[in-house]
Amino acid sequence: MPQIAQLAETFSSQVFWLLVFFGLVFFVVGRGMVPKVTGAVELRDRQISDDLAAAQTARDRADEEEEAWRKRENDNRAAAQALVADAKAKAAAENERKLAAEQERLDARLASAEADIAEAHKSALAEIEDVAAEATQDIVQRLAGVSVTAEAARTKVKEALHHG
Amino acid sequence: MAAEPAKVDPMYQFTIQPLFGSEGWELAGYNIAFTNSALWMAITTVVLWLFVLGGMKREVVPGRWQMAVESFTGFIDDMLEANIGKAGRKYVPYIFSLFMFILFANVLGLVPFGVVGVHPFTFTSHFTITGVLALLSFGIVLVVGFLKHGLHFLSLFVPQGTPWYMVPLIAPIEFISFMVRPFSLALRLFVAMMAGHLLLEVLSTFVISGGNAGAGYGLLVGVPTFVLMIGICALEILVAGIQAYVFALLSALYINDAENLH
């Protein structure tokens, strides 16, 4: 076993060169280079977390803007709806008014037409009375040979017409 | 002609040899020959350096290489944060160096450079090496513990909620378990790496000997063994990662004891 057989003759050289090379590794690589590597890692981690934080704030701001926009939009919509409702109400009132006027006009025409009809009815009745009176006079003359005056015939016809 | 007995020593792969005629180098009376072990430590260091260098572009959107390096540092970072807490971040350089050094050493030792005539050497299969690394971790635990808590750190040996009459019994047990830590840490890695390489070497001698003994033996012994070796190679890659992870994780847990005394 060379590890034991050569122990005495190689011990000092082994320890010496190990200390030399491990010392080199420790001071050059471990102390010199590793902190730079870990530093780069830390730098990157910090940058990433900074970027994430910035993204988060940007997102929050965007959310706020959206909220404000939404609020504004809702207000606008409400205003527009009020405007529409107003216009609707106005239009309805106008319609109502126009309809009322038309109704009035129609009512007036109806009343005048009814009056005309009543007039015609009355004059027709008078005519019937006249004709009836004349007919009565004539009939009495022929049947009884009595001549009645036009006044008497008219009065009698009126009575007969009125009393059925 | 009698068949030559195979002269393969599975332990030979762990032999340390001085390179470039450096066996005479000395420092303050100690031999510091630049061995194959030291060469592979150097290779591990350079490869690790190149690997991390590729992840130093510091781009905001990382490329594949940077992603790979960052996933390793992030892995160590998470592990320390999970086990030690916020205070664990200052140990990232040490635990990262430890984990990556062991991981790269383990994996480089498994790369089949043998096909191009280079013999990889897994220096983590030497307890000299793993022992020093374990002592480093243990030393950090002691230094941090005593600096941070002073002599109060000794209360580590009395777990919370121990009845007073149990203290004389519990404290020595805790002390022994504490003192065993560097040994278990070092031996675990050393044994795992050595056993794996030994197994692969033994199995490969089966393949070679079986093939040399004739087509029948080759089919009967060599082919199944070769299939087994492929599976064990995959297992060894897993072990290389797991052992590096275990070493780093246990170091982190021990440091946690010192950092956050109950």
Side-chain angles (χ1 to χ4, degrees):
Chain A
M1 197 165 171
Q3 286 95 330
I4 295 170
Q6 291 185 307
L7 184 60
E9 46 177 308
T10 61
F11 182 75
S12 54
S13 112
Q14 287 277 71
V15 172
F16 174 76
W17 289 113
L18 175 67
L19 290 180
V20 166
F21 288 118
F22 187 69
L24 271 176
V25 167
F26 177 64
F27 286 106
V28 175
V29 176
R31 299 288 297 266
M33 296 158 93
V34 169
K36 284 179 189 153
V37 174
T38 52
V41 174
E42 254 162 45
L43 197 72
R44 172 161 57 242
D45 287 352
R46 200 163 50 238
Q47 203 165 340
I48 287 170
S49 62
D50 285 357
D51 286 357
L52 282 178
Q56 186 59 45
T57 42
R59 193 204 189 120
D60 288 349
R61 213 175 45 240
D63 281 353
E64 265 166 39
E65 301 249 303
E66 194 187 345
E67 195 59 37
W69 171 81
R70 201 179 297 273
K71 195 170 169 302
R72 215 163 51 234
E73 198 72 351
N74 283 346
D75 290 352
N76 284 349
R77 187 168 296 135
Q81 262 160 5
L83 218 61
V84 167
D86 198 31
K88 237 183 227 170
K90 258 186 202 158
E94 179 79 359
N95 260 4
E96 197 85 356
R97 202 179 55 70
K98 272 186 185 163
L99 276 175
E102 193 68 9
Q103 191 68 39
E104 223 161 89
R105 202 176 58 81
L106 285 175
D107 283 353
R109 262 183 77 179
L110 199 61
S112 81
E114 271 170 358
D116 284 354
I117 288 167
E119 191 67 28
H121 189 239
K122 218 159 99 204
S123 70
L125 272 181
E127 217 153 308
I128 287 170
E129 265 178 32
D130 282 351
V131 172
E134 262 168 44
T136 310
Q137 238 176 325
D138 211 19
I139 291 164
V140 169
Q141 179 78 37
R142 290 227 192 127
L143 287 182
V146 182
S147 164
V148 257
T149 60
E151 279 311 303
R154 189 173 300 258
T155 317
K156 286 287 169 196
V157 166
K158 230 177 226 172
E159 270 171 27
L161 276 177
H162 280 255
H163 297 261
Chain B
M1 192 178 90
E4 286 271 317
K7 280 188 186 145
V8 179
D9 178 9
M11 297 307 285
Y12 179 74
Q13 57 177 324
F14 303 118
T15 310
I16 296 172
Q17 288 155 333
L19 300 173
F20 320 123
S22 63
E23 56 264 51
W25 290 5
E26 285 198 354
L27 183 76
Y30 290 102
N31 178 280
I32 54 160
F34 193 82
T35 59
N36 49 353
S37 173
L39 175 68
W40 282 91
M41 289 178 210
I43 291 170
T44 302
T45 306
V46 171
V47 171
L48 177 54
W49 178 70
L50 286 175
F51 175 71
V52 180
L53 191 69
M56 294 267 292
K57 289 191 219 91
R58 314 193 62 179
E59 281 166 9
V60 174
V61 179
R64 289 175 195 193
W65 198 298
Q66 193 184 342
M67 202 71 211
V69 176
E70 279 174 5
S71 65
F72 273 111
T73 59
F75 167 67
I76 299 294
D77 208 21
D78 289 349
M79 185 176 86
L80 286 174
E81 182 141 357
N83 289 310
I84 304 180
K86 282 281 167 214
R89 301 217 56 185
K90 60 175 172 286
Y91 301 105
V92 167
Y94 173 69
I95 299 291
F96 180 84
S97 306
L98 193 65
F99 174 72
M100 294 304 271
F101 192 64
I102 295 171
L103 179 69
F104 274 55
N106 291 352
V107 172
L108 282 173
L110 279 173
V111 178
F113 290 118
V115 295
V116 291
V118 183
H119 294 284
F121 182 89
T122 317
F123 58 84
T124 42
S125 63
H126 276 250
F127 58 77
T128 329
I129 301 296
T130 61
V132 171
L133 291 176
L135 282 176
L136 269 176
S137 287
F138 193 66
I140 287 173
V141 171
L142 289 181
V143 169
V144 169
F146 280 113
L147 271 184
K148 209 170 153 145
H149 305 289
L151 285 178
H152 191 63
F153 182 55
L154 294 174
S155 73
L156 182 69
F157 303 131
V158 184
Q160 213 157 21
T162 314
W164 62 268
Y165 50 86
M166 290 295 279
V167 169
L169 198 64
I170 297 282
I173 295 173
E174 286 287 324
F175 178 71
I176 290 167
S177 103
F178 182 74
M179 293 311 286
V180 161
R181 282 174 180 184
F183 297 98
S184 66
L185 204 54
L187 286 176
R188 188 179 296 113
L189 176 58
F190 146 68
V191 166
M193 294 325 292
M194 192 188 75
H197 284 261
L198 205 56
L199 185 60
L200 285 177
E201 187 86 16
V202 169
L203 289 176
S204 67
T205 63
F206 283 8
V207 177
I208 295 164
S209 305
N212 285 344
Y217 281 113
L219 280 177
L220 195 69
V221 178
V223 173
T225 312
F226 189 69
V227 172
L228 182 64
M229 271 183 78
I230 293 171
I232 288 179
C233 278
L235 184 71
E236 282 307 306
I237 293 170
L238 186 70
V239 168
I242 287 175
Q243 288 303 326
Y245 173 60
V246 166
F247 202 104
L249 178 67
L250 285 176
S251 294
L253 286 176
Y254 297 159
I255 290 172
N256 176 45
D257 279 347
E259 189 70 41
N260 307 314
L261 195 60
H262 57 75

